[in-house]
Amino acid sequence: MEWLVTLVGAAVVLIILRDVFHTLWHPTRHGGLSRAVMSLLWRLSTRGRRSSRTAGLAGPVGMVTVVATWACAVAVGWALVYWPHMPEAFSFSGTLKPSEHSGPVDALYLSLVTVATLGLGDIAPSADWLRIVAPLEALVGFTLLTATVSWILGIYPALARRRALALRISQLRRAEPAERRPASDASAAVLGQLAADVARTSVDFLQYPESYYFHDGPGDISLALALGYAADLAKRTGRAEQADAGSAAAVLATALDDLATVLDERFLHTGGPRQRVLAAYARDHGHP
């Protein structure tokens, strides 16, 4: 029975480490726990009457919740590894009575101290295998801290690129004259750069799928609101007589198709064409 509890604790730790790996370091997959937590918070924040303030908190609160879940689950998992072997496999300081400090709370205390790399030393492993396992927990704690920092450093630049793309599309829309002369007047270079930015956003959604659950905000920095104009621009420019402008418009349309595919496969699941996917994306981010 003791080893069964230990194995359960080890399984919990391995499940969390797998989730961290697929969330941060495996670009073609994402962690099941992190995705489930952030998706749930997103749905709760957008249920009923939408509030941009509430939706804007979904992403940051989701990240904090995921990291806290990782840390707590690792601490509990390692506590389950220690608990069945207390007190005989541990040494205690002179002020502590082993028989009084061998419960689940003490095992959790030891696990929290170890994962936080505090190393207080009042309870320390004495069995040979535990003297190897305990430092591994400290290493996992340091890995979680590093993972959290790398996650933040990855997601927020991706958000900045997404909002910059939305602002660029908005600038093109506002710069267009009121009489809406044919969009072929837009240079091929501008459309080519726009296509490259759309492609980069597709990669960001693949690399950091949790970034989907961050609300862009209203107006010019909302990509969900701006993509409709980009699709219209590609369509109108594609009918132009200039070969360069037509080719650039075709590349932009293809980039938008790829982005719609990523959004639909990862988040929306409409199974429809690009127009339907982009409309669903806009609705999901508060733009009916």
Side-chain angles (χ1 to χ4, degrees), residues 97-117:
K97 294 182 179 180
S99 60
E100 296 178 358
H101 293 86
S102 301
V105 174
D106 301 284
L108 182 60
Y109 159 76
L110 174 61
S111 179
L112 289 171
V113 168
T114 305
V115 79
T117 66

Side-chain angles (χ1 to χ4, degrees), residues 103-279:
V105 174
D106 301 284
L108 182 60
Y109 159 76
L110 174 61
S111 179
L112 289 171
V113 168
T114 305
V115 79
T117 66
L118 294 177
L120 298 182
D122 51 348
I123 303 177
S126 58
D128 291 340
W129 70 275
L130 283 173
R131 293 174 65 186
I132 296 175
V133 168
L136 289 178
E137 182 182 10
L139 181 60
V140 169
F142 181 76
T143 301
L144 284 178
L145 176 61
T146 306
T148 300
V149 174
S150 66
W151 199 19
I152 294 172
L153 293 179
I155 280 187
Y156 279 94
L159 294 175
R161 289 189 292 270
R162 192 167 87 197
R163 291 164 182 169
L165 171 60
L167 184 59
R168 179 58 173 157
I169 296 173
S170 175
Q171 289 168 345
L172 290 174
R173 176 182 56 80
R174 287 182 279 124
E176 190 174 46
E179 63 270 19
R180 294 176 65 86
R181 68 172 181 246
S184 58
D185 288 350
S187 69
V190 171
L191 293 183
Q193 183 59 50
L194 196 61
D197 291 340
V198 172
R200 188 176 297 113
T201 299
S202 298
V203 174
D204 285 337
F205 277 125
L206 288 171
Q207 185 73 42
Y208 304 105
E210 294 79 15
S211 65
Y212 177 88
Y213 303 108
F214 282 74
H215 186 63
D216 287 334
D220 294 341
I221 62 171
S222 175
L223 182 62
L225 189 61
L227 285 176
Y229 175 77
D232 180 64
L233 181 62
K235 181 179 179 180
R236 289 188 286 118
T237 308
R239 296 194 296 262
E241 296 180 358
Q242 293 88 341
D244 289 345
S247 297
V251 173
L252 175 58
T254 302
L256 289 170
D257 287 338
D258 291 342
L259 176 59
T261 299
V262 171
L263 290 172
D264 202 40
E265 290 180 351
R266 288 296 185 103
F267 312 105
L268 299 170
H269 311 294
T270 67
R274 179 183 69 193
Q275 183 178 3
R276 184 187 301 175
V277 174
L278 296 184

